[in-house]
Amino acid sequence: MDRMIHTALNSIRNLYDIRFTTSQNLANMAVPGFRREMQNEGGSGFMLEDGQLSPRAFALEMGANQFSEEQGAIAPSDLATDIALVNDSYFIVDPGAGNFALSRRGDLKTNSEGQLIDGAGSVLMSSALQPIEIPAFREIEITQIGEVLVNPLQAEVGQFVSAGFIATTAPVSKMAKDLDGHIRYSDGTAITPDQSGKIMQNALESSNVNPVEELVFSMEMQRQFEINMKLISAAKDLDEGGAQLLRLPNE
């Protein structure tokens, strides 16, 4: 009976973790460039009691958070500061403290210091891995190779100057999401630009989360949870039945 109970409890623990991943995906389905999170690698561990073969199973998690690299849909936008990558490259951003990360998020704006940032507040890096500073402008153009051209307020209408190139790179190693939710190389490889990105202005890439798929998967997880609860209840009934047999009087 113990094995049945612990196997069911182990399964419930895994389902509990999966529920958080599904909730995270659904909560971020409207975030531009968001990459659907996938379940962590994991398995089952076993403990032996007093050297006897009486295993107790428990859930194990291994490795960093994996995510889907599938490209999201690209939709037109009315904002000149909205951009999308149309190939498999990534923007290089600084979420803070110079710890560079990879991103597909292209809803851009400027912060109080005039630096180009995305909708999450991460600073976009230039090809020299420095913040891109944007002066007050009338118009802005971002070319296919990532050059940022602005028509400053103090310049004549139609006179554009270059503010730098947005840093992009094609993945060179296996990627994973860190604890801060940002994408980096799982083996610690340094993030450097190769300017391989092809950029489309006046467009945004949506998240690659499929809400129907996530909801159906969530319903399936609920059914599996109910099955495991029934297994625990059945094991309890069998254990109580065995205990009653042991209490029968001897004739």
Side-chain angles (χ1 to χ4, degrees):
M1 300 311 114
D2 286 349
R3 294 184 182 183
M4 183 186 297
I5 291 174
H6 283 280
T7 299
L9 287 174
N10 178 57
S11 179
I12 289 174
R13 173 60 183 173
N14 289 330
L15 293 173
Y16 182 77
D17 290 341
I18 291 172
R19 185 186 66 176
F20 280 103
T21 302
T22 303
S23 300
Q24 171 81 345
N25 290 336
L26 289 173
N28 289 279
M29 58 180 290
V31 175
F34 178 79
R35 286 296 178 259
R36 173 179 176 267
E37 294 189 1
M38 303 170 69
Q39 285 71 47
N40 288 357
E41 297 177 358
S44 298
F46 296 90
M47 294 184 296
L48 298 181
E49 182 178 356
D50 297 328
Q52 304 299 316
L53 293 178
S54 54
R56 301 292 185 270
F58 58 96
L60 290 178
E61 290 186 1
M62 302 173 291
N65 292 334
Q66 306 300 313
F67 65 93
S68 169
E69 298 181 32
E70 181 181 356
Q71 186 172 341
I74 295 178
S77 168
D78 295 329
L79 296 177
T81 51
D82 285 345
I83 59 175
L85 285 163
V86 297
N87 61 357
D88 294 332
S89 295
Y90 286 77
F91 300 119
I92 299 178
V93 300
D94 180 8
N99 191 12
F100 297 147
L102 303 173
S103 172
R104 297 276 298 190
R105 186 163 186 168
D107 53 336
L108 308 184
K109 56 184 178 181
T110 56
N111 60 15
S112 59
E113 299 175 0
Q115 297 172 338
L116 198 61
I117 63 174
D118 63 21
S122 298
V123 179
L124 266 73
M125 294 289 99
S126 70
S127 56
L129 294 181
Q130 296 296 322
I132 300 174
E133 296 185 359
I134 306 293
F137 60 88
R138 295 188 187 91
E139 293 182 71
I140 184 170
E141 293 182 1
I142 301 175
T143 68
Q144 187 181 38
I145 59 175
E147 185 176 14
V148 181
L149 303 170
V150 296
N151 176 209
L153 291 178
Q154 67 271 20
E156 295 182 5
V157 176
Q159 182 179 354
F160 287 82
V161 297
S162 177
F165 289 79
I166 296 175
T168 59
T169 184
V172 298
S173 184
K174 186 176 181 180
M175 300 176 292
K177 288 190 178 181
D178 275 350
L179 294 177
D180 61 1
H182 292 284
I183 299 172
R184 297 182 179 89
Y185 296 124
S186 55
D187 60 2
T189 298
I191 297 175
T192 55
D194 62 14
Q195 298 309 109
S196 61
K198 293 183 179 180
I199 295 174
M200 179 186 295
Q201 191 179 12
N202 293 105
L204 269 182
E205 179 186 359
S206 65
S207 71
N208 62 359
V209 176
N210 185 327
V212 175
E213 180 180 333
E214 294 294 330
L215 288 172
V216 171
F217 184 68
S218 179
M219 293 170 62
E220 178 62 27
M221 292 303 99
Q222 180 63 32
R223 285 195 289 267
Q224 292 189 27
F225 174 81
E226 292 171 356
I227 290 172
N228 282 288
M229 291 302 296
K230 289 179 180 178
L231 282 174
I232 293 174
S233 178
K236 175 177 175 291
D237 292 340
L238 288 172
D239 187 61
E240 290 177 349
Q244 289 178 359
L245 288 174
L246 292 175
R247 290 195 296 269
L248 291 176
N250 295 326
E251 294 182 359

